């Protein structure tokens, strides 16, 4: 049956932990989702070999432990518990290890620099511990109720780094950012501990402002590696962190193709999906299957608003997917839904093809407006919306290969 281990927390929806621990070799990783009043019984029974602890119990669980590792004691929170042969419980904090690994991977040089940590919960303590050990010049914790709060952020316009250790950016605050990065002209780096969505509003804003940034996924994977070493008593090669990180990122992220009608999104998407055994969705085709009408019919008979509303509903459903390839209609970039909504969990690729090469047979809108006018309306949106541009100027296989190379490195 293997070692019984798992994750304890109040709400485990959206957790990546089981996938990650299985990649590190765990065979019996369980989810223990429970309200606080069940904790007494859970720790009385101790029916596990080791557990990870997440929000909001990282401090709460300390009272059930027989020993606490020095680092966890210094941090004041525990996120990994091991039961020894006598049934005694010892608490550790692997967020310290995970955050340090991720910070170093981001190549954020913090010596003598000023850092703002947003939030004062369990994770913020691990972050503060690491940054102080790295001799950060000044570490300021921003709290909704503290002396340094969100109303007087202008005091800290000179911050070099910002670390988000609040839940702002994850469900139900997915469309929110904890701070406006434009207030901090000196920023050298932004670290968001959130890993689901893969890219939060804060991270997308940092990307748009060309500020180096790091999401919480690498930290999550690194801390899980350390926890698995504690569970098993063995050691795991550090290189495994990178391979698990890349695999999780690949498995959780959709590939969304945008571009002009007839630019090759569907063909390229289909070939790509087939090559890697992924699910493929073509929104124009799905609209036809759902309504019995082609997008062109709907646009001509019911107008653009009706068509875009249908398309938007469909895209929202498809965004629930993981590791799928989605070819969108050419006008998707004009929908007022906030492009970030798509980018939170997807890599968006703009398939660019010369106007005179576009295959326009039976394409929506092309008859009424003329393709050049449509292109001029949308070209900036395609560029701004996408993470990257792939030219479809040779063969389909060539375009697929370019996307494959791209996804290996992002
Ligand atoms: P926590 O103990 O609940 O603390 C979160 C802190 O954020 C609170 O203490 C609070 O500080 C602030 N906060 C809460 N709700 C807020 C809101 N609506 N607006 C602004 N601030 C709010 O949680 P945690 O364990 O420290 O985790 C914090 C975040 O880090 C979570 O998103 C978690 O998923 C993430 N995390 C990621 C990893 C990883 O491996 N990537 C590891 C641990 C945690 P104030 O009351 O002082 O404002």
């Amino acid at each position: 049956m293997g070692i019984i281990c798992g994750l304890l927390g109040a709400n485990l929806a959206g957790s990546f932990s089981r996938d990650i621990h299985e990649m590190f070799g765990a065979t019996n990783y369980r989810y223990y989702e429970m309200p606080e009043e069940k904790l007494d019984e859970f720790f009385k029974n101790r029916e596990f070999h080791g557990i990870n602890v997440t929000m909001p119990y990282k401090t709460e669980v300390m009272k059930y432990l027989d020993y606490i590792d020095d680092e966890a004691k210094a941090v004041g929170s525990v996120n990994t518990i091991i039961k020894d042969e006598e049934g005694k419980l010892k608490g550790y904090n692997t967020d310290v290890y995970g955050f340090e690994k991720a910070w170093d991977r981001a190549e954020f040089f913090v010596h003598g620099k000023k850092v703002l940590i947003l939030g004062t919960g369990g994770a913020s303590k691990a972050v503060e511990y690491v940054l102080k050990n790295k001799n950060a010049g000044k570490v300021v914790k921003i709290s909704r109720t503290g002396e340094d709060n969100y109303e007087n952020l202008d005091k800290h316009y000179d911050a070099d780094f910002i670390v988000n250790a609040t839940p702002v950016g994850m469900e139900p605050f997915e469309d929110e950012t904890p701070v406006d990065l434009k207030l901090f002209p000196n920023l050298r780096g932004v670290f968001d501990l959130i890993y689901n969505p893969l890219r939060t509003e804060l991270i997308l804003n940092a990307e748009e402002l060309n500020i180096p940034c790091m999401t919480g996924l690498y930290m999550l994977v690194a801390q899980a590696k350390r926890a698995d070493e504690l569970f098993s008593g063995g050691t795991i090669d550090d290189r495994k962190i990178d391979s698990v990180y890349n695999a999780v990122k690949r498995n959780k992220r959709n590939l969304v193709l945008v571009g002009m009608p007839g630019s090759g999104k569907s063909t390229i998407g289909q070939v790509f999906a087939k090559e890697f055994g992924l699910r493929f969705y073509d929104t124009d085709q799905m609209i036809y299957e759902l309504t019995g009408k082609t997008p062109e019919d709907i646009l001509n008979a019911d107008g653009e608003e009706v068509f875009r509303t249908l398309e938007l509903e469909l895209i929202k459903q498809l965004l629930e997917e993981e590791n799928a390839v989605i070819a969108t209609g050419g006008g998707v970039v004009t929908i007022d839904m906030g492009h970030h909504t798509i980018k939170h969990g997807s890599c968006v690729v703009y398939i660019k093809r010369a106007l005179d090469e576009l295959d326009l047979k039976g394409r929506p809108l092309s008859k009424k407006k003329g393709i050049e006018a449509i292109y001029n309306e949308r070209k900036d949106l395609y560029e701004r919306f996408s993470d990257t541009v792939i030219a479809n100027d040779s063969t389909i296989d060539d375009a697929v290969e370019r996307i494959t190379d791209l996804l290996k490195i992002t």
Side-chain angles (χ1 to χ4, degrees), residues 9 79 129 140 151 156 210 214 225 235 238 245 277-278 284 288-289 303 339 349 366 398 406:
N79 78 333
Y129 178 84
V140 180
E151 305 305 317
H156 305 294
N210 290 319
M214 184 72 166
K225 176 240 175 194
T235 52
D238 266 5
Y245 168 76
L278 309 177
D284 281 352
Y288 177 68
E289 283 159 16
H339 298 156
V349 175
S366 50
D398 195 38
L406 171 92

Side-chain angles (χ1 to χ4, degrees), residues 54-56 58 79 95 118-124 142-146 150 164-168 170 173 178 191-195 215-221 223:
T54 188
M55 283 195 298
K58 288 183 184 181
N79 78 333
D95 282 343
L118 314 179
T120 55
S124 79
I142 307 292
S143 166
R144 289 166 300 177
T145 52
Y150 297 90
N164 179 33
T166 77
V168 180
M170 63 193 269
F173 312 111
F191 192 120
D192 197 334
L193 266 64
I194 294 173
Y195 56 87
T215 77
L217 185 59
Y218 198 86
M219 172 181 174
L220 181 77
V221 173
Q223 67 77 30

Side-chain angles (χ1 to χ4, degrees), residues 20-21 23-24 52 80 94 97-98 101 218-242 244:
I20 292 172
H21 287 277
M23 285 185 213
F24 280 121
N52 297 124
T80 301
T94 66
Y97 177 90
K101 282 273 177 210
Y218 198 86
M219 172 181 174
L220 181 77
V221 173
Q223 67 77 30
K225 176 240 175 194
R226 183 74 197 109
D228 279 315
E229 289 177 335
L230 292 167
F231 292 156
S232 67
T235 52
I236 299 171
D237 191 324
D238 266 5
R239 283 171 297 189
K240 185 87 180 151
I241 301 174
D242 282 301
V244 171

Side-chain angles (χ1 to χ4, degrees), residues 304-359:
E304 183 159 0
E305 204 179 320
V306 172
F307 177 70
R308 298 286 169 228
T309 309
L310 261 172
E311 193 177 32
L312 176 58
E313 280 314 305
L314 187 59
I315 287 173
K316 279 186 180 161
Q317 277 175 37
L318 289 176
L319 291 178
E320 302 289 315
E321 291 280 329
E322 284 175 354
N323 207 6
V325 181
I326 303 168
T328 58
V332 72
V333 287
T334 64
I335 302 180
D336 186 19
M337 66 179 290
H339 298 156
H340 285 183
T341 309
I342 292 185
K343 289 176 93 167
H344 283 151
S346 308
C347 178
V348 180
V349 175
Y350 169 23
I351 305 290
K352 195 170 183 179
R353 196 167 196 206
L355 281 193
D356 55 3
E357 301 266 317
L358 298 178
D359 174 9

Side-chain angles (χ1 to χ4, degrees), residues 255 257 263-275 280 325 327 349 351-353 390-393 395-401 403:
L255 172 66
L257 304 179
S263 58
K265 298 175 299 259
S266 302
T267 317
I268 293 168
Q270 229 161 343
V271 173
F272 183 87
K274 194 165 174 210
E275 193 162 321
F280 171 73
V325 181
V349 175
I351 305 290
K352 195 170 183 179
R353 196 167 196 206
I390 293 283
N392 180 16
D393 55 2
T395 62
I396 294 295
D397 284 347
D398 195 38
V400 168
E401 202 177 310
I403 297 178

Side-chain angles (χ1 to χ4, degrees), residues 295-305 307 360 362-374 377-378:
E296 193 180 23
D297 290 341
I298 302 173
L299 281 162
N300 289 335
D302 308 309
E304 183 159 0
E305 204 179 320
F307 177 70
L360 294 175
R363 298 287 171 181
L365 275 189
S366 50
K367 271 185 201 151
K368 272 193 177 170
K369 278 199 180 168
I371 203 66
E372 214 165 312
I374 295 175
E377 236 172 62
R378 295 181 187 166

